[in-house]
Amino acid sequence: MATIFSRIVKGEIPCYKIAEDERFFAFMDINPVAVGHTLVIPKREDDYIFNLGDEELGAMMVFAKKVAKALEKAVPCKRIGVAVIGLEVPHAHIHLIPIRQESDMDFKKEHVHMTEDEFREVQQRIVENL
Ligand code: AMP
């Protein structure tokens, strides 16, 4: 069965899309730990990031870098934190999180509540900076 992220790539489930190329896709996390929290995934389904081949993993990180640079400009922050968890969705992904301090990376703290309009507004700012 297709993962929820594969269904997002196919357009079967809506998302706040940030970027895509032939192999990778970036969209905003629906339950963000910080404003601008974005996920980068390979379109090809693979459960675990460290099962990706060397070339694919490298290319995914280069794709993530472009998204991170746009995020840095779009959202007030010191830098972009990177996390790999993958316990919830079995489709390899990188979390890109705009941070000011270490605690901004804490997935256990209360997440940010954003309205649809707020998501759209931040999405637009990030896309404009790509
Ligand atoms: P993890 O697999 O533990 O890295 O967590 C999966 C992440 O995917 C969580 O941060 C979720 O909020 C996020 N997520 C799950 N479903 C969606 C969705 N439909 N759209 C955007 N983000 C999602």
Side-chain angles (χ1 to χ4, degrees):
M1 208 179 76
T3 66
I4 187 162
F5 289 173
S6 288
R7 298 187 63 203
I8 286 175
V9 171
K10 283 189 216 147
E12 292 171 6
I13 293 176
C15 75
Y16 300 99
K17 179 176 143 183
I18 299 299
E20 73 175 313
D21 67 10
E22 314 77 53
R23 292 196 287 170
F24 306 107
F25 195 93
F27 57 103
M28 295 176 74
D29 195 298
I30 206 66
N31 187 21
V33 297
V35 172
H37 182 173
T38 294
L39 301 175
V40 172
I41 66 169
K43 289 183 174 176
R44 196 181 69 75
E45 244 176 55
D46 202 316
D47 174 358
Y48 182 41
I49 191 164
F50 294 126
N51 283 342
L52 301 186
D54 293 354
E55 194 278 334
E56 189 177 16
L57 180 59
M60 181 162 150
M61 205 36 113
V62 172
F63 180 86
K65 177 180 170 182
K66 284 184 206 137
V67 176
K69 288 287 167 197
L71 264 175
E72 272 170 21
K73 291 183 205 140
V75 180
C77 63
K78 270 198 181 158
R79 47 182 62 204
I80 304 301
V82 176
V84 174
I85 302 177
L87 289 173
E88 191 186 311
V89 179
H91 185 139
H93 54 279
I94 297 171
H95 295 260
L96 298 178
I97 304 170
I99 54 172
R100 291 200 179 107
Q101 59 219 349
E102 201 180 317
S103 59
D104 293 339
M105 292 288 292
D106 183 0
F107 281 73
K108 287 202 219 114
K109 75 172 162 49
E110 195 183 344
H111 290 214
V112 178
H113 300 285
M114 289 170 69
T115 64
E116 232 178 281
D117 282 351
E118 286 167 338
F119 267 113
R120 278 209 206 88
E121 194 260 322
V122 177
Q123 174 194 27
Q124 195 182 332
R125 281 210 317 264
I126 301 167
V127 170
E128 279 168 5
N129 280 288
L130 275 169

